[in-house]
Amino acid sequence: MSTTPASSAPVAVHSVAAPVATAQRELHAFYRRVPNLGDYGSMAAIEERWILPKARAYEASAPRFGSTGELLRALKEFLDEEEAALPESATFLAEQATLEQFKVVVREFALDGLTESESLLPVVPRLPYRSAMAVFRVLIDELGCGNEEKAHSQLYRDLLTELGMSLRLDDYLDETSPECYAYVNMFHWLASRAPSPQYFLGAYAYFETSVLYAFQSFARAARRLGIVHDAYYTEHLYIDSYHSSHMRTAIRALDEPDLAKIWAGVRLASDIVGEATETAIARARETVA
């Protein structure tokens, strides 16, 4: 058995900066409505150009894990290596970004923040029962356990309100980068469109753990800038350790895990989240301080 996580030869990145980038907004629109027959064909064509080649490539190149335990150990190694090599952009956001620059980053992720986790609900009935229940426990928290004030999307609304920014989703459609559209679209694809829900399990197991270090720079920036409604970031730093544990449980609960698909989900999420974050901060740096 060979497990060579983050240090293995990387799969070629199919960047959303390619021509498919212009289709990310269109794909987002498809995901927000019930598609007709023509829409469905266009949606499938975009996915075939954008995310499916990458998923297949990571699946084909996945290490030959001998067990779920070996995969989870490789995931931990991958996350540890990623945390140890955080990009300079994280330091810039945490220590140097002005309020106006921070608002650019908040704007870039508004399409996600305003609808957080709503797109994930369809994955629950696609999963085996025990795995689905572990995921559902995570989603209950994301949605505030039914308490509107505690839902993560409401925490984002509180942040936007303090920053004097719009709460209307449509106001961000023209401003969001293709990479941040891809970030939102990835969650739709994983939950509803991926040929197997096991891609979702790998991606979300990665995501819920990576947030514990990736959101540190956001939380530090908000605190440094005197933002009162920073709970969207600090709540993730608090609750996602619990969520990370439940996502590992969801993987262990599978009677027939497809370890290559789970690993492909890990790598997909790492790529797409990383590209979106780098793009958002790069756009912020272009803003006059």
Side-chain angles (χ1 to χ4, degrees), residues 28 106 109-122 138-145 147-148 150-157 159-160 169 183-184 187-188 191 200 204 207-208 211 215 218 231-237 239-240 243:
H28 181 258
V106 172
F109 288 105
L111 293 181
D112 178 67
L114 286 168
T115 59
E116 181 153 337
S117 297
E118 293 172 9
S119 65
L120 305 183
L121 291 169
V138 174
L139 299 186
I140 286 172
D141 282 338
E142 298 283 340
L143 298 171
C145 299
N147 181 345
E148 181 181 346
K150 297 297 183 180
H152 289 186
S153 59
Q154 182 58 46
L155 298 180
Y156 211 84
R157 287 178 173 84
L159 174 64
L160 290 169
L169 192 76
Y183 176 94
V184 179
F187 291 113
H188 283 278
F200 170 89
Y204 217 60
F207 184 75
E208 289 291 339
V211 163
F215 264 30
F218 291 81
Y232 178 79
Y233 303 114
T234 58
E235 174 68 9
H236 280 85
L237 295 176
I239 199 66
D240 280 4
H243 290 176

Side-chain angles (χ1 to χ4, degrees), residues 6-281:
S7 58
S8 61
V11 173
V13 172
H14 299 266
S15 172
V16 295
V20 73
T22 60
Q24 287 295 327
R25 177 172 175 173
E26 183 181 4
L27 186 60
H28 181 258
F30 290 143
Y31 287 154
R32 292 179 67 200
R33 64 177 186 257
V34 177
N36 59 35
L37 187 59
D39 290 344
Y40 190 87
S42 297
M43 177 171 64
I46 295 169
E47 293 168 342
E48 184 63 47
R49 297 195 307 271
W50 165 50
I51 200 166
L52 280 165
K54 199 170 188 181
R56 293 173 187 137
Y58 275 133
E59 185 177 350
S61 66
R64 295 185 179 181
F65 299 110
S67 66
T68 298
E70 288 179 354
L71 178 142
L72 292 175
R73 285 193 291 275
L75 172 59
K76 182 181 184 302
E77 292 174 17
F78 183 85
L79 289 158
D80 287 346
E81 290 182 22
E82 192 171 88
E83 181 178 9
L86 286 175
E88 181 273 339
S89 58
T91 302
F92 167 80
L93 182 64
E95 299 178 2
Q96 301 173 41
T98 66
L99 181 60
E100 290 305 310
Q101 290 171 327
F102 184 75
K103 287 171 67 174
V104 171
V105 177
V106 172
R107 181 194 73 199
E108 283 289 319
F109 288 105
L111 293 181
D112 178 67
L114 286 168
T115 59
E116 181 153 337
S117 297
E118 293 172 9
S119 65
L120 305 183
L121 291 169
V123 80
V124 175
R126 299 185 66 200
L127 290 164
Y129 181 76
R130 290 173 57 230
S131 181
M133 290 302 98
V135 171
F136 195 56
R137 283 194 291 271
V138 174
L139 299 186
I140 286 172
D141 282 338
E142 298 283 340
L143 298 171
C145 299
N147 181 345
E148 181 181 346
E149 293 181 357
K150 297 297 183 180
H152 289 186
S153 59
Q154 182 58 46
L155 298 180
Y156 211 84
R157 287 178 173 84
D158 294 340
L159 174 64
L160 290 169
T161 298
E162 179 177 350
L163 295 176
M165 300 171 70
S166 175
L167 302 184
R168 294 182 67 253
L169 192 76
D170 287 355
D171 288 343
Y172 296 97
L173 297 178
D174 292 334
E175 299 179 324
T176 302
S177 66
E179 289 80 4
C180 288
Y181 264 114
Y183 176 94
V184 179
N185 290 340
M186 174 188 71
F187 291 113
H188 283 278
W189 183 83
L190 289 166
S192 302
R193 301 282 302 145
S196 168
Q198 297 202 40
Y199 290 111
F200 170 89
L201 293 178
Y204 217 60
Y206 161 84
F207 184 75
E208 289 291 339
T209 307
S210 68
V211 163
L212 296 171
Y213 53 82
F215 264 30
Q216 291 284 353
S217 58
F218 291 81
R220 288 174 59 196
R223 183 168 57 250
R224 174 176 56 81
L225 294 168
I227 295 170
V228 174
H229 293 94
D230 62 350
Y232 178 79
Y233 303 114
T234 58
E235 174 68 9
H236 280 85
L237 295 176
Y238 160 73
I239 199 66
D240 280 4
S241 178
Y242 172 77
H243 290 176
S244 173
S245 174
H246 276 303
M247 289 308 304
R248 292 193 298 272
T249 296
I251 293 172
R252 292 192 190 99
L254 294 171
D255 291 329
E256 298 181 3
D258 189 325
L259 302 177
K261 284 184 171 61
I262 295 170
W263 185 252
V266 170
R267 299 301 304 270
L268 277 172
S270 175
D271 284 354
I272 294 172
V273 172
E275 289 170 5
T277 304
E278 285 299 296
T279 298
I281 296 175

